[in-house]
Amino acid sequence: MNVEKYQEILREIPENVKLIAVSKLHPASEVEAAYALGQRDFGENWAQEMREKHEILPQDIRWHFIGHLQTNKIKYIIPYVHLIHSIDSFKLLQEVDRQAAKHNRTVGCLLQFHVATEETKFGFSMDECEQMLKSPEFSSLKNVEIKGVMGMASFTDDTAQVRREFQTLHGFFTKLKEEYFAEKPDFKEISMGMTSDYPIAIEEGSTMIRVGSAIFGERDYSKR
Ligand SMILES: *Cc1c(COP(=O)(O)O)cnc(C)c1O
């Protein structure tokens, strides 16, 4: 890992912003190196990879699931996952709730919004999300706790566009907070910002940045 860059990020981010070190496709030894420096929050994109690391690494690590989650993979993460950033459908949230109940847990979740231009990115639209929040089935969920929102900006050099997309996400957060979660102090997280855009995300109100390559280097996707 790049220790200097890691420490530089920690120094430059405000106190209210949490750094999630994204360790996907990097070996457990890299997680251990960051752990030795005090890092406890790690992000992973694939359920089996997260499970393998969880099994061999220190138990006080807080595992953040940030990838697209398929319902048939929930079982690999549900006993221990700290926060699922990527709830992108009501069906997924209901299934997380059902499986969390089996494990007697309440699992923290963020609602992922689609704010980028790429069609390949996942997430709710505001309409879909409000339909869910207004439904009686949503009120009956007992084993999930919605703690905020998550989003990814477009992959582009146009920083003005990236900023607008983060502003859109922040606007969604504010609307939901006022209209649906006013009585829920734990609804307070805005997960936005990656290696290429986290400084802009912080300026636009991020409370959690998810940074991988700046800390751990390039990923080898041929391992997938
Ligand atoms: C991989 C990934 C990250 C980290 O990306 P970097 O550019 O390596 O910092 C953050 N968020 C999500 C959702 C990811 O899939």
Side-chain angles (χ1 to χ4, degrees), residues 3-16:
V3 174
E4 265 174 36
K5 183 68 192 170
Y6 169 70
Q7 286 169 337
E8 184 192 313
I9 296 171
L10 283 184
R11 269 196 310 274
E12 77 187 9
I13 66 177
E15 233 178 292
N16 65 311

Side-chain angles (χ1 to χ4, degrees), residues 19-26 30-31 34 39 41-46 49 53 63-64 66-67 85 193-195 209-217 219 221:
L19 170 62
I20 316 298
V22 176
S23 47
K24 65 178 183 223
L25 297 180
H26 289 289
E30 288 288 289
V31 176
Q39 182 67 27
D41 292 274
F42 291 91
E44 290 282 338
N45 281 54
W46 293 285
E49 182 177 352
K53 286 177 178 152
W63 291 104
H64 296 249
I66 64 174
H85 291 228
M194 314 176 19
T195 292
I209 56 172
R210 311 175 308 268
V211 179
S213 4
I215 300 172
F216 297 115
R219 289 178 287 271
Y221 280 92

Side-chain angles (χ1 to χ4, degrees), residues 56 60 62 68 88 94 105 107 110 119 121-123 131 134-135 139-141 143 155 161 173 187 189-190 195 200 205:
I56 59 172
D60 61 340
R62 293 181 289 268
H68 177 59
D88 56 13
Q94 285 175 304
R105 295 195 67 205
V107 171
L110 304 181
E119 285 300 320
K121 287 190 168 132
F122 292 95
Q131 259 183 39
K134 284 178 177 147
S135 71
S139 325
S140 72
L141 302 179
N143 292 77
F155 184 69
Q161 183 183 344
F173 169 83
F187 185 90
E189 306 294 351
I190 306 178
T195 292
I200 304 176

Side-chain angles (χ1 to χ4, degrees), residues 124-164:
F124 285 100
S125 67
M126 193 38 119
D127 270 2
E128 285 167 347
C129 185
E130 289 200 270
Q131 259 183 39
M132 169 177 87
L133 296 176
K134 284 178 177 147
S135 71
E137 292 88 353
F138 177 80
S139 325
S140 72
L141 302 179
K142 295 209 164 46
N143 292 77
V144 287
E145 179 158 34
I146 311 293
K147 293 184 182 278
V149 302
M150 181 272 221
M152 289 168 89
S154 299
F155 184 69
T156 170
D157 292 334
D158 182 352
T159 55
Q161 183 183 344
V162 168
R163 187 178 297 279
R164 279 196 303 275

